[in-house]
């Protein structure tokens, strides 16, 4: 109550300027979580990304159960699927931030990956969860390798691009047709959403597709999602960076990654 009736009550503070991009960012993050359940994209990286992402209150949140975290691999020469990942470079894409509890460079066995995928469905109704769990088992995933890269920006003909991070996840499965259908399913999912526009194509990999936020967005951040398949490996990439977005650099990184899978000699 105002003690001086002659003195006008203090006015309410002016609302802070709303950042149009945060709402859009929450929508994008929510779409990633929905994709993990609806398409069973199969890698678990989407759920991990949602857990560690900056989000508005009220945005979809999927919390992984308190399971024993996967052990970070020791600093040794990568083998198997991890060996195919594009290596970190001091003059380009260096080591990025941790992917949730897994660090910036992690490998999961088939059993660990399957368990993680099933845990990510914990918030769904029981009947839907059981159906998706059966679908996960049919995929017969044998292993996952994931790596998070950070770039400080590059010089282009249009100026200097902003910093960016790129998470690449490789998932190997026994069923090659499942790999193909999962990549196609993710691409069809993003194509059906009004939030995204068609991104750059990957030269030499006609089945790879990328999707980006609308070009007219006022947000300082840009995002790009890509999915592809090479033999028995599902490749997914999520890029997040400051505008002007380093589309050329991200595309080159993904192209190199797909080439290394298609031509194993490049990974030596």
């Amino acid at each position: 109550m105002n003690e001086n009736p002659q003195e006008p009550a203090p006015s309410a503070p002016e609302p802070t300027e709303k950042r149009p991009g945060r709402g859009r960012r929450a929508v994008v993050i929510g779409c990633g979580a929905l994709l993990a359940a609806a398409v069973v994209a199969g890698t678990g990286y989407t759920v991990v990304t949602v857990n560690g992402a900056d989000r508005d209150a009220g945005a979809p949140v999927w919390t992984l159960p308190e399971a024993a975290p996967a052990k970070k691999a020791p600093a040794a020469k990568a083998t198997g699927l991890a060996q195919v990942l594009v290596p970190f470079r001091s003059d380009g894409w260096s080591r990025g931030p941790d992917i949730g509890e897994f660090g910036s460079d992690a490998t999961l066995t088939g059993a660990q990956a399957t368990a993680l995928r099933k845990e990510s469905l914990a918030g769904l109704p029981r009947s839907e969860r059981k159906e998706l769990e059966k679908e996960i088992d049919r995929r017969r995933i044998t292993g996952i390798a994931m790596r998070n890269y950070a770039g400080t920006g590059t010089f282009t003909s249009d100026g200097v691009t902003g910093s960016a991070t790129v998470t690449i996840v490789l998932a190997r499965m026994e069923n090659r047709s499942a790999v193909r259908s999962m990549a196609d399913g993710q691409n069809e999912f993003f194509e059906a959403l009004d939030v995204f526009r068609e991104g750059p194509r990957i030269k030499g990999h006609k089945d790879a597709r990328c999707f980006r936020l609308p070009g007219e967005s006022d947000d300082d951040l840009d995002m790009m999602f890509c999915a592809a398949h090479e033999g028995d490996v599902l490749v997914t990439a999520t890029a997040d960076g400051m505008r002007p977005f380093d589309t050329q650099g991200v595309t080159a990184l993904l192209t190199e990654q797909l080439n290394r899978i298609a031509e194993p000699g490049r990974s030596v």
Side-chain angles (χ1 to χ4, degrees):
M1 182 175 182
N2 189 4
E3 296 179 357
N4 186 353
Q6 302 301 321
E7 184 179 353
S11 58
E14 295 184 3
T16 57
E17 182 180 358
K18 184 177 181 182
R19 292 180 61 85
R22 284 184 65 82
R24 185 183 300 276
R25 182 175 172 82
V27 169
V28 173
I29 293 170
C31 288
L34 179 59
L35 174 65
V39 186
V40 196
T43 60
Y45 86 93
T46 303
V47 178
V48 172
T49 301
V50 170
N51 268 347
D54 179 18
R55 62 174 85 81
D56 292 337
V61 179
W62 284 19
T63 303
L64 290 175
E66 293 294 334
K71 294 182 179 180
K72 295 181 181 180
K77 184 178 179 180
T79 59
L81 192 59
Q83 188 179 19
V84 185
L85 283 165
V86 175
F88 295 123
R89 302 189 180 102
S90 59
D91 60 344
W93 292 103
S94 59
R95 185 180 297 273
D98 289 352
I99 309 170
E101 64 193 28
F102 299 100
S104 58
D105 188 9
T107 302
L108 302 178
T109 65
Q112 288 174 322
T114 299
L116 179 62
R117 293 167 63 193
K118 290 183 177 180
E119 287 169 2
S120 73
L121 308 176
L124 297 178
R126 185 176 183 277
S127 58
E128 295 179 18
R129 187 176 71 252
K130 291 300 182 183
E131 284 301 315
L132 287 173
E133 286 178 348
K134 292 178 182 178
E135 185 65 22
I136 288 172
D137 289 332
R138 283 195 290 269
R139 301 298 188 186
R140 299 197 299 277
I141 187 167
T142 60
I144 281 180
M146 49 189 174
R147 190 166 288 174
N148 204 13
Y149 304 83
T152 57
T154 59
F155 291 94
T156 67
S157 57
D158 298 325
V160 181
T161 62
S163 59
T165 60
V166 182
T167 303
I168 293 181
V169 181
L170 310 182
R172 174 164 280 150
M173 303 178 194
E174 292 182 9
N175 189 338
R176 292 197 176 201
S177 62
V179 172
R180 186 181 306 107
S181 66
M182 290 167 70
D184 293 343
Q186 175 168 325
N187 290 331
E188 290 170 3
F189 177 86
F190 281 112
E191 186 176 31
L193 297 175
D194 295 332
V195 181
F196 301 97
R197 62 187 167 108
E198 187 82 15
R201 301 306 293 238
I202 308 301
K203 184 177 180 180
H205 302 275
K206 61 184 180 62
D207 295 321
R209 296 185 63 188
C210 295
F211 296 87
R212 293 183 59 189
L213 291 179
E216 68 274 9
S217 172
D218 294 327
D219 193 1
D220 294 334
L221 295 176
D222 204 342
M223 302 183 79
M224 187 163 79
F225 299 86
C226 303
H229 57 87
E230 284 291 341
D232 60 353
V233 179
L234 172 68
V235 182
T236 53
T238 306
D240 188 336
M242 301 295 296
R243 294 177 186 268
F245 190 64
D246 188 12
T247 307
Q248 183 176 350
V250 173
T251 302
L253 178 62
L254 183 57
T255 301
E256 180 179 356
Q257 179 60 80
L258 293 173
N259 287 342
R260 288 171 65 90
I261 301 172
E263 303 176 32
R266 293 174 180 247
S267 64
V268 176

